[in-house]
Amino acid sequence: MKLFIIFAAALLAVTALPAQQHWTSFKAKHGKSYASLEEERARFQIFQDNVQKVNTHNARYEAGLETYTMAVNKFADLTPKEFGAMLRRNNGPIPRMTLTSHVQSDTAPEAMDWRERKAVLAVKDQGYCGSCWAFSTTGALEGQNAIKNNVTVPLSEQQLVDCDKEYNEGCNGGDMLTAFEYVIKHGLNSEDEYPYEAEDGKCRAKSGSVVQVKEGVSVEATESALRDAVGTVGPVSIAIYADPFQLYNDGIFDKTTCYNDRDLLDHGVLVVAYGTENGTQYWDVKNSWGEDWGMNGYLRVARNKKMCGIGLYNAYPVLA
Ligand SMILES: *[C@@H]1O[C@H](CO)[C@@H](O)[C@H](O)[C@H]1NC(C)=O
Ligand SMILES: *[C@@H]1O[C@H](CO)[C@@H](O)[C@H](O)[C@H]1NC(C)=O
C-alpha cells in the first residue's frame, strides 16, 4: 500500500512537473508576480489554457491550416477577454477638427520598407498603459524627422500621455490625429528629455521641441490609399482591431474571422512597410508591445484583404 502511494505520487509529479516548470520559467522570464495565491492559481489556469491554444494553433500551422504561428509570450497569463479590455479604452468618435486629406500620387512602388531607409527607430514597449496612440504618433513623427531632416531621435510618449489632455486620455486611450494637433501647438520633447513611465502623471514638458509639425493629414480609408501614403510619404499611423494578436508570433496574419469594423478599432500602430511574400501581399506593422512580442516587435498581416480594420484609419504628420 505504501509503495503504491509513493509510486502514484511519483507518477503525479512526473506529469505535473512540465506545466509547473513552464509556469515558473514564464514568471521568471517576464518578471511576473501576483497579489495573492488565489490570483496566482487563476493565472496558472489561464496560462495552461493559453499554452494549449498555442500548441493547437501551431499544430494546425504545421498542417498548413494556418498562415502564422503563435507563441507563449508575456500576455499568456491573460484571457482573451482581459486582453481585449486592456486594449479597448478610448475608441469613441474622433473629435471634430479640420483635416487635410492625403492627395494620391499614384507613384508608390511595388514594395517599400522604411526600415531599410533608416526611418524607423527601435521598437518600444507601452507596458500595461493604454498609450498605444502616443507610440503610433511618435513613430510617425520620428519617421518624418528621419526622412525630412535626417534626424533619428526617439520622441516622448510620456509627454503626450501627461500633457495632451485636450482630446486624449493618457493611459486610458487616445487618437493620433489629435495628438498631431497637440504637437503642432506645443511641440514634443525627446525620449531622453521626457522618458516613458507607463502611467499617468503631471505634465513636465520642457520648453523647446525636437520636431516642428505643420499639419496632420488624414488618408482615405482604403488600403490602396494607405499603400500610396506609405509608398510615397513614410510610415503611417493606423488603427487596427488588435484582440487576435495577443499570442501572435510570426508569419502573415490572415484570418477571415478578424473583424473589419471601424467601431472595433482599438489599437494604434504604425505601418512601416508593404510587399509580397510568396504571392501573398502583406503590411509590416510596428507595434509597441516590446521586441519580445511578434516578429521582433512587428506584425506581418495580409494586405488588400480588409484584415482587422487595416486601412480604415490612416494618418501622418507633415513637418514644417
Ligand atoms: C545623415 O546622418 C548620418 C549620421 O549623422 C550621416 O552619416 C549622413 O551623411 C547623413 N545623410 C545625409 C543625406 O545628410
Ligand atoms: C516563402 O517561401 C520561402 C522559401 O520557399 C519559405 O522559406 C517561407 O517560409 C515562405 N513563406 C511563407 C509565408 O510561406
Side-chain angles (χ1 to χ4, degrees), residues 3 118 177:
L3 241 176
K118 310 260 179 281
L177 274 164

Side-chain angles (χ1 to χ4, degrees), residues 26 32 50 73 116 135 141 167-168 170 189 198 202 235 253 257 259 270 280 290 318-319:
F26 166 84
K32 302 272 185 182
N50 277 328
N73 62 23
E116 288 166 4
F135 286 85
L141 290 167
Y167 301 110
N168 294 315
N189 290 168
K202 263 174 58 182
F253 184 97
T257 51
Y259 296 116
L270 189 74
T280 303
V318 178
L319 301 194

Side-chain angles (χ1 to χ4, degrees), residues 144-255:
Q144 290 305 309
N145 204 20
I147 294 163
K148 185 160 194 267
N149 303 324
N150 194 27
V151 175
T152 50
V153 173
L155 298 171
S156 174
E157 294 78 27
Q158 195 63 42
Q159 182 177 347
L160 295 170
V161 167
D162 295 341
C163 311
D164 178 11
K165 295 296 184 190
E166 192 177 341
Y167 301 110
N168 294 315
E169 299 171 19
C171 286
N172 283 321
D175 159 82
M176 290 78 81
L177 274 164
T178 54
F180 294 147
E181 284 295 304
Y182 169 87
V183 182
I184 291 171
K185 287 185 197 154
H186 306 280
L188 196 60
N189 290 168
S190 69
E191 194 88 66
D192 279 351
E193 288 171 314
Y194 201 152
Y196 190 61
E197 293 167 353
E199 59 184 10
D200 291 296
K202 263 174 58 182
C203 181
R204 289 152 289 156
K206 295 178 178 64
S207 62
S209 180
V210 179
V211 284
Q212 270 70 46
V213 179
K214 196 164 70 181
E215 60 186 357
V217 176
S218 170
V219 181
E220 189 196 333
T222 66
E223 284 182 270
S224 64
L226 176 59
R227 176 180 177 274
D228 192 81
V230 176
T232 60
V233 176
V236 173
S237 293
I238 67 159
I240 51 172
Y241 171 68
D243 295 40
F245 305 141
Q246 178 180 1
L247 303 170
Y248 169 83
N249 182 49
D250 75 357
I252 301 180
F253 184 97
D254 186 352
K255 249 184 141 46

Side-chain angles (χ1 to χ4, degrees), residues 47-320:
F47 174 79
Q48 285 176 289
D49 293 346
N50 277 328
V51 169
Q52 181 63 46
K53 186 176 178 178
V54 169
N55 290 341
T56 305
H57 176 94
N58 289 347
R60 284 175 54 81
Y61 173 83
E62 290 302 327
L65 300 170
E66 299 284 351
T67 61
Y68 67 102
T69 63
M70 285 187 176
V72 178
N73 62 23
K74 61 190 169 190
F75 300 130
D77 61 348
L78 299 172
T79 65
K81 209 172 159 191
E82 286 171 326
F83 187 73
M86 195 172 83
L87 292 170
R88 254 182 308 286
R89 293 173 197 250
N90 173 9
N91 59 352
I94 297 161
R96 278 178 192 282
M97 48 193 270
T98 319
L99 290 174
T100 308
S101 295
H102 172 70
V103 178
Q104 289 226 31
S105 69
D106 297 319
T107 58
E110 271 309 300
M112 174 56 95
D113 190 340
W114 289 103
R115 287 166 297 195
E116 288 166 4
R117 298 179 183 224
K118 310 260 179 281
V120 185
L121 307 191
V123 169
K124 304 179 192 181
D125 191 347
Q126 69 188 79
Y128 293 90
C129 160
S131 54
C132 58
W133 59 278
F135 286 85
S136 174
T137 301
T138 55
L141 290 167
E142 287 162 358
Q144 290 305 309
N145 204 20
I147 294 163
K148 185 160 194 267
N149 303 324
N150 194 27
V151 175
T152 50
V153 173
L155 298 171
S156 174
E157 294 78 27
Q158 195 63 42
Q159 182 177 347
L160 295 170
V161 167
D162 295 341
C163 311
D164 178 11
K165 295 296 184 190
E166 192 177 341
Y167 301 110
N168 294 315
E169 299 171 19
C171 286
N172 283 321
D175 159 82
M176 290 78 81
L177 274 164
T178 54
F180 294 147
E181 284 295 304
Y182 169 87
V183 182
I184 291 171
K185 287 185 197 154
H186 306 280
L188 196 60
N189 290 168
S190 69
E191 194 88 66
D192 279 351
E193 288 171 314
Y194 201 152
Y196 190 61
E197 293 167 353
E199 59 184 10
D200 291 296
K202 263 174 58 182
C203 181
R204 289 152 289 156
K206 295 178 178 64
S207 62
S209 180
V210 179
V211 284
Q212 270 70 46
V213 179
K214 196 164 70 181
E215 60 186 357
V217 176
S218 170
V219 181
E220 189 196 333
T222 66
E223 284 182 270
S224 64
L226 176 59
R227 176 180 177 274
D228 192 81
V230 176
T232 60
V233 176
V236 173
S237 293
I238 67 159
I240 51 172
Y241 171 68
D243 295 40
F245 305 141
Q246 178 180 1
L247 303 170
Y248 169 83
N249 182 49
D250 75 357
I252 301 180
F253 184 97
D254 186 352
K255 249 184 141 46
T256 48
T257 51
C258 195
Y259 296 116
N260 187 60
D261 181 340
R262 210 187 143 91
D263 292 335
L264 291 176
L265 301 176
D266 56 13
H267 190 47
V269 286
L270 189 74
V271 175
V272 300
Y274 62 83
T276 304
E277 182 183 358
N278 301 348
T280 303
Q281 297 180 321
Y282 66 82
W283 299 109
D284 274 342
V285 177
K286 186 189 186 193
N287 202 349
S288 50
W289 295 344
E291 282 184 351
D292 58 351
W293 175 90
M295 299 165 80
N296 299 315
Y298 289 84
L299 163 74
R300 182 164 281 190
V301 55
R303 181 161 59 95
N304 293 329
K305 290 184 121 178
K306 300 191 191 305
M307 201 54 61
C308 311
I310 284 204
L312 296 179
Y313 175 112
N314 319 308
Y316 62 83
V318 178
L319 301 194

